[in-house]
Amino acid sequence: MHLRNALHPIDAVFVGAIFSVLMGGLSLGACLGCQNGSGRRVSPGVGMELALLASPLNSYLSMFAFILLRLFQAVIVMIAVAFFAFMLFQYVGDPVVFLLGQDAKPDQIAQLRTDLGLDQPFFVQFVHFLGNAVQGEFGLSLRQGAKVSRLIAERFPATLELSLVAAFLALVVGIPMGVYAALRRGTFISQLFMTLSLLGVSLPTFLIGILLILFFAVILGWFPSFGRGEVQTFGWWSSGLLTVDGWHHIVLPAVTLAIFQLTLIMRLVRAEMLEVLRTDYIKFARARGLSNNAIHFGHALKNTLVPVITIIGLQLGTLIAFSIITEAVFQWPGMGLLFIQAVTFADVPVMAAYLCLVALIFVVINLVVDLLYFVVDPRLRLGSAGGH
């Protein structure tokens, strides 16, 4: 998908307006520079050189305008998510009752409401909530009595490691399987891959996790069934990937989390590869006498991965955000397990912090994926520079 086609019509007008103003200034400068001080026109060769110099500048200006637009949209999205997170404090229980209990005296309740700022108008409370959220402060956990920011910082490394290992497995296994299924259609192994992918998409994550625990942990005893294992700490960050025991514990939950993403990536790569192999430039490459390896991996695979980048980026955010079930099955001490516990006890500050953090992760990943299009697909840079 071309990046320009992905823009909403209003977005396109916004980018077009910025680009037109910038290009208008360049055009005016070019017209004023057509004549030198004596009133004689500059040679056409100089104008051609200026046009060549302006082409990459146009591309950079278009990218800059696009980045500004995406940043503006990201701010709007984060404000909207923060508003919904703030609404949890208003309609999901009473934090004063959670903190003081049912037997609190009226003067104690009134004093705590004043201390927490709950006696102020709605929008004043929301502005204070936004200011604290920007600083990463979401108050105290109603269940544990600790700062929410500290709880998130303690659990985030475990979730990030699990998601990165699962994403790595999905990419390393899914892309080669998809390429093989596209290049060797109709073979037994290709049909086997498609059948396994159908099972991976159909089976729920918790069932896959339970089956893996039953077979590899209970029956064979090869891997542990819960926990993160031994970890190394570096300040507030902790990592289990630097110890053998940590790798031993992460295998089953990472495989469980990666299976659905693996099958999705495999089927997507296969479909895109088949579509690319039917294009005209692949036929011209064959007519030129290029080898199959050069055609498949030097031309077809590169263009196949362009739309896959979007799916990979979004799925990484999905792995981080929705690893809840996997962490609950394997008792993995990450943010997902913390969120499950928060929902069970109506711990609103933790729920609000989790919601805002997940939204921030998706916004950042979307911005990075959009920028990667300019790097991976040269047609976007040429299209921006040429005005197409």
Side-chain angles (χ1 to χ4, degrees), residues 88 143 152 155 321-322 324 327 334-348 350-355 358:
L88 293 175
R143 185 175 69 92
I152 294 293
R155 302 297 188 98
F322 302 109
I324 300 174
E327 293 185 5
M335 293 193 307
L337 185 59
L338 179 66
F339 179 74
I340 288 291
Q341 296 169 350
V343 172
T344 303
F345 291 91
D347 197 345
V348 178
V350 174
M351 295 164 58
Y354 182 85
L355 180 61
V358 167

Coordinates of all heavy atoms in Angstrom, one line a residue, residues 88 143 152 155 321-322 324 327 334-348 350-355 358:
L88 N -12.7 5.9 34.0 CA -12.7 4.8 34.9 C -12.8 5.2 36.4 O -13.4 4.6 37.2 CB -11.5 3.9 34.7 CG -11.4 3.2 33.3 CD1 -10.1 2.5 33.2 CD2 -12.5 2.2 33.1
R143 N -5.0 -1.8 45.5 CA -4.9 -3.2 46.0 C -3.6 -3.3 46.8 O -3.5 -3.9 47.8 CB -4.9 -4.2 44.9 CG -4.9 -5.7 45.4 CD -5.1 -6.6 44.2 NE -4.0 -6.6 43.3 CZ -2.9 -7.5 43.4 NH1 -2.9 -8.4 44.4 NH2 -1.9 -7.4 42.6
I152 N 4.3 -0.8 37.2 CA 4.5 -0.9 35.8 C 5.9 -1.1 35.4 O 6.3 -1.9 34.5 CB 3.9 0.3 35.0 CG1 2.3 0.4 35.3 CG2 4.2 0.3 33.5 CD1 1.6 -0.8 34.6
R155 N 7.0 -4.6 36.0 CA 6.4 -5.7 35.2 C 6.7 -5.5 33.7 O 6.6 -6.5 33.0 CB 4.9 -5.7 35.4 CG 4.5 -5.9 36.9 CD 4.9 -7.3 37.4 NE 4.3 -7.5 38.7 CZ 3.2 -8.3 38.9 NH1 2.6 -8.8 37.9 NH2 2.7 -8.5 40.1
A321 N 0.3 -5.8 24.1 CA -1.0 -5.4 24.7 C -1.8 -6.6 25.1 O -2.5 -6.6 26.2 CB -1.8 -4.6 23.7
F322 N -1.8 -7.7 24.3 CA -2.7 -8.8 24.6 C -2.0 -10.1 25.0 O -2.5 -11.2 24.6 CB -3.6 -9.0 23.4 CG -4.4 -7.8 23.0 CD1 -4.1 -7.1 21.9 CD2 -5.4 -7.3 23.8 CE1 -4.8 -5.9 21.5 CE2 -6.2 -6.2 23.5 CZ -5.8 -5.5 22.3
I324 N -2.0 -11.0 27.8 CA -2.7 -11.2 29.1 C -3.0 -12.7 29.3 O -2.7 -13.2 30.4 CB -4.0 -10.4 29.2 CG1 -3.7 -8.9 29.0 CG2 -4.8 -10.6 30.4 CD1 -5.0 -8.0 28.9
E327 N 0.2 -14.7 29.9 CA 0.8 -14.5 31.2 C 0.0 -15.1 32.3 O 0.6 -15.6 33.3 CB 1.0 -13.0 31.4 CG 2.0 -12.4 30.4 CD 2.3 -10.9 30.7 OE1 1.7 -10.4 31.7 OE2 3.0 -10.2 30.0
G334 N 4.3 -10.3 34.3 CA 4.3 -9.2 33.4 C 3.2 -8.3 33.6 O 2.4 -8.4 34.6
M335 N 3.0 -7.3 32.7 CA 1.9 -6.3 32.8 C 0.6 -7.0 32.6 O -0.4 -6.5 33.2 CB 2.1 -5.2 31.8 CG 3.3 -4.3 32.0 SD 3.2 -2.8 31.0 CE 3.0 -3.5 29.4
G336 N 0.5 -8.0 31.8 CA -0.8 -8.7 31.5 C -1.3 -9.3 32.8 O -2.5 -9.2 33.1
L337 N -0.5 -10.0 33.6 CA -0.9 -10.6 34.8 C -1.3 -9.5 35.8 O -2.3 -9.7 36.6 CB 0.2 -11.5 35.4 CG -0.1 -12.3 36.6 CD1 -1.3 -13.2 36.4 CD2 1.1 -13.1 37.1
L338 N -0.5 -8.4 35.8 CA -0.9 -7.3 36.7 C -2.2 -6.7 36.3 O -3.0 -6.4 37.2 CB 0.2 -6.2 36.6 CG 0.0 -4.9 37.4 CD1 0.1 -5.3 38.9 CD2 1.0 -3.9 37.1
F339 N -2.5 -6.6 35.0 CA -3.8 -6.1 34.6 C -5.0 -7.0 35.0 O -6.0 -6.6 35.4 CB -3.8 -5.9 33.1 CG -5.1 -5.4 32.6 CD1 -5.5 -4.0 32.8 CD2 -6.0 -6.2 31.9 CE1 -6.7 -3.5 32.3 CE2 -7.2 -5.7 31.4 CZ -7.5 -4.4 31.6
I340 N -4.8 -8.3 34.9 CA -5.8 -9.3 35.3 C -6.1 -9.1 36.8 O -7.3 -9.1 37.2 CB -5.3 -10.7 35.0 CG1 -5.4 -11.0 33.5 CG2 -6.2 -11.8 35.7 CD1 -6.8 -11.0 32.9
Q341 N -5.1 -9.0 37.6 CA -5.3 -8.8 39.0 C -6.0 -7.5 39.3 O -6.8 -7.4 40.2 CB -3.9 -8.9 39.7 CG -3.2 -10.3 39.6 CD -1.8 -10.3 40.1 OE1 -1.2 -9.2 40.3 NE2 -1.2 -11.5 40.2
A342 N -5.6 -6.5 38.5 CA -6.3 -5.2 38.7 C -7.8 -5.2 38.4 O -8.6 -4.6 39.1 CB -5.6 -4.1 37.9
V343 N -8.1 -5.9 37.3 CA -9.5 -6.1 37.0 C -10.3 -6.8 38.1 O -11.4 -6.5 38.4 CB -9.7 -6.7 35.6 CG1 -11.1 -7.1 35.3 CG2 -9.1 -5.9 34.5
T344 N -9.6 -7.9 38.6 CA -10.3 -8.7 39.6 C -10.6 -7.9 40.9 O -11.7 -8.0 41.5 CB -9.4 -9.9 40.0 OG1 -9.1 -10.6 38.8 CG2 -10.1 -10.8 41.0
F345 N -9.7 -7.0 41.3 CA -9.9 -6.2 42.5 C -10.4 -4.7 42.2 O -10.4 -3.9 43.1 CB -8.6 -6.1 43.3 CG -8.2 -7.4 43.9 CD1 -7.4 -8.3 43.2 CD2 -8.7 -7.8 45.1 CE1 -7.1 -9.6 43.8 CE2 -8.4 -9.0 45.7 CZ -7.5 -9.9 45.0
A346 N -10.8 -4.5 40.9 CA -11.2 -3.1 40.5 C -10.2 -2.1 40.9 O -10.5 -1.0 41.4 CB -12.6 -2.8 41.1
D347 N -8.9 -2.4 40.6 CA -7.8 -1.4 40.9 C -7.7 -0.4 39.7 O -6.9 -0.6 38.8 CB -6.5 -2.2 41.0 CG -5.4 -1.4 41.7 OD1 -5.5 -0.2 41.8 OD2 -4.4 -2.0 42.1
V348 N -8.5 0.6 39.8 CA -8.6 1.5 38.7 C -7.3 2.2 38.3 O -7.1 2.4 37.1 CB -9.7 2.6 39.0 CG1 -9.9 3.6 37.9 CG2 -11.1 1.9 39.3
V350 N -4.3 1.2 38.2 CA -3.5 0.3 37.4 C -4.1 0.0 36.1 O -3.5 0.0 35.0 CB -3.3 -1.1 38.2 CG1 -2.6 -2.1 37.3 CG2 -2.5 -0.9 39.4
M351 N -5.5 -0.1 36.0 CA -6.2 -0.3 34.8 C -6.0 0.9 33.9 O -5.7 0.8 32.6 CB -7.6 -0.5 35.0 CG -7.9 -1.8 35.8 SD -9.6 -1.9 36.5 CE -10.6 -1.7 35.0
A352 N -6.1 2.1 34.4 CA -5.9 3.4 33.6 C -4.5 3.5 33.1 O -4.3 3.8 31.9 CB -6.3 4.6 34.5
A353 N -3.5 3.2 33.9 CA -2.1 3.2 33.5 C -1.8 2.2 32.4 O -1.1 2.5 31.4 CB -1.2 3.0 34.7
Y354 N -2.4 1.0 32.5 CA -2.2 0.0 31.5 C -2.8 0.4 30.2 O -2.2 0.3 29.1 CB -2.8 -1.3 31.9 CG -2.6 -2.5 31.0 CD1 -1.5 -3.2 31.0 CD2 -3.6 -2.8 30.1 CE1 -1.3 -4.3 30.1 CE2 -3.4 -3.9 29.2 CZ -2.3 -4.6 29.2 OH -2.1 -5.6 28.4
L355 N -4.0 1.0 30.2 CA -4.7 1.5 29.0 C -3.9 2.6 28.3 O -3.7 2.5 27.1 CB -6.1 2.0 29.4 CG -6.9 2.5 28.2 CD1 -7.2 1.4 27.2 CD2 -8.2 3.1 28.8
V358 N -0.6 1.0 26.7 CA -0.8 0.3 25.5 C -1.1 1.2 24.4 O -0.6 1.0 23.2 CB -2.0 -0.7 25.8 CG1 -2.5 -1.3 24.5 CG2 -1.5 -1.8 26.7

